[in-house]
Structures are given as C-alpha cells and as structure tokens.
Amino acid sequence: MRNSDRVQLPFYFDILKLQSEVKNLINVEWIGHFVRQNYEGSWSVIPLTAQPGVTHPIQMAAAIPGDYDFVATPFLELCPYIKSVLACFEAEKCSVRLMKLTSGSEIKEHRDYDLDEGEVRVHIPIFTNEKVSFFVNNTKVKMQEGECWYLRLSDPHRVINEGESDRIHLVLDLKVNEWLSEILTKSLA
C-alpha cells in the first residue's frame, strides 16, 4: 500500500440506489464535523456506525482510528442497500459514515496520521460534481459516483467544492486484514 496514495478498487455500486437511500434520510440531521479548524463552510456527517452505547450525536460521528468496536446506528437500519454495500467488504468495519461537503465549502489540507497502518479509509462517492477537487499529495483524484477508492489519508489531503451541489461520500474505515491487503495489492497491478 505504500506504493500508491490512491487506488481505485474493483467495485462499482448502484448509484441510483445509493442516492435514493441518502435522499430518504431527509429527516435525519447532519452533524457538523467537530474539527472546525480543518474546514471552511459546512462539512457534516451522518454516522452509520458508532461505538456501543454511544448516543450523543457528536460522539456517534467521531472516527477514532485504532478503535475497532463499532455497531450499526439506527440510521444504517434505514439504508438496506448501503448495508449490502458494506457486506461486500470482508474486513472489520470501524467508523462508517456519510460525509457531506456543501457547495462552496473547503476541507483544508490536513493529515489523518493514525490511518494506513492497521486501518484504511475507503471513499464511495454518492453525489459529486465536476467542480469538486479532492487532492492527495497536491494531485487531484478524479472520483466518479458509484466508484470505490482507497486514499492514503495519512498523507496531506484537501477538498474543495466549487460546484453548485453538495458532495456526499460514503466513507468506510476498515481494519486491514488479508482479504483487504490482497484487494489493494491486486488493484495496484
């Protein structure tokens, strides 16, 4: 995995089903990302997994790398297709969430230092537009709706949404195991 900071994985998901499920969450309140210094505008989360017993929305939305004890939230129970997407990944799921970057917002350059040793982050774009720019190591990663990407986010990365629509990704933190290592290695070839 150290050879590439971005790998498109061999999965493609039904974008209409993903978009429909996200639209059906219209009454669910998005939780503002709690690391305010990392963004300008609005960056928010709907937690699909959380640590057992956690009920406060901000604590439910926290993704703490290295913490592997997660259970489905009531929001995931509203998303049967997303549950089937998660079942495609034969690795332990840690934090799983929907992440929205609204039009005109920016995630400032930062690093998620605790990722990529025992845990990696995968992005599945659900809503995006041509004016969303996701940079890893100052190089743009062009991700399309329904695709699946590993991004080495312990490296510097940033996102700008200069489009007129919100960007929403399904973001999975996965514990590295033999199956996941093999998928990443094969995808690099």
Side-chain angles (χ1 to χ4, degrees):
M1 289 184 303
R2 296 303 322 164
N3 296 335
S4 181
D5 60 8
R6 71 212 55 213
V7 178
Q8 185 174 357
L9 300 178
F11 302 101
Y12 183 82
F13 299 104
D14 186 322
I15 194 56
L16 295 179
K17 288 182 180 178
L18 286 169
Q19 290 177 343
S20 175
E21 286 194 348
V22 170
K23 287 177 184 176
N24 285 339
L25 296 174
I26 191 77
N27 293 324
V28 175
E29 186 175 346
W30 290 80
I31 301 161
H33 197 289
F34 59 92
V35 186
R36 283 287 311 152
Q37 69 268 22
N38 279 2
Y39 64 98
E40 295 286 332
S42 178
W43 184 26
S44 55
V45 177
I46 293 177
L48 301 179
T49 64
Q51 295 188 295
V54 172
T55 57
H56 190 280
I58 292 176
Q59 290 177 320
M60 288 175 71
I64 303 167
D67 216 333
Y68 301 121
D69 191 16
F70 284 84
V71 296
T73 68
F75 310 123
L76 182 57
E77 298 306 317
L78 301 172
C79 303
Y81 183 67
I82 290 176
K83 285 176 78 170
S84 74
V85 166
L86 298 181
C88 294
F89 295 89
E90 298 174 28
E92 189 172 342
K93 285 80 173 170
C94 302
S95 181
V96 177
R97 58 233 180 258
L98 294 167
M99 300 190 83
K100 176 169 62 174
L101 185 67
T102 61
S103 173
S105 295
E106 173 183 0
I107 301 171
K108 298 175 186 178
E109 185 170 272
H110 68 285
R111 300 171 84 150
D112 297 311
Y113 289 100
D114 296 328
L115 288 172
D116 300 315
E117 292 303 318
E119 188 175 327
V120 298
R121 185 160 293 155
V122 172
H123 278 248
I124 301 170
I126 298 176
F127 291 97
T128 192
N129 64 70
E130 289 297 317
K131 293 187 176 180
V132 169
S133 300
F134 196 123
F135 296 91
V136 178
N137 290 315
N138 288 318
T139 302
K140 189 173 180 179
V141 183
K142 185 110 172 100
M143 295 182 276
Q144 301 297 320
E145 293 171 346
E147 294 178 346
C148 182
W149 288 82
Y150 156 75
L151 303 170
R152 191 171 64 219
L153 298 181
S154 57
D155 288 356
H157 59 282
R158 60 190 168 92
V159 187
I160 303 167
N161 183 358
E162 297 176 303
E164 295 183 13
S165 60
D166 296 342
R167 181 216 77 163
I168 299 176
H169 283 193
L170 175 60
V171 180
L172 296 75
D173 289 354
L174 303 170
K175 188 173 179 182
V176 176
N177 64 7
E178 189 176 317
W179 176 87
L180 185 54
S181 293
E182 187 174 316
I183 291 285
L184 289 165
T185 301
K186 284 181 180 178
S187 298
L188 274 170

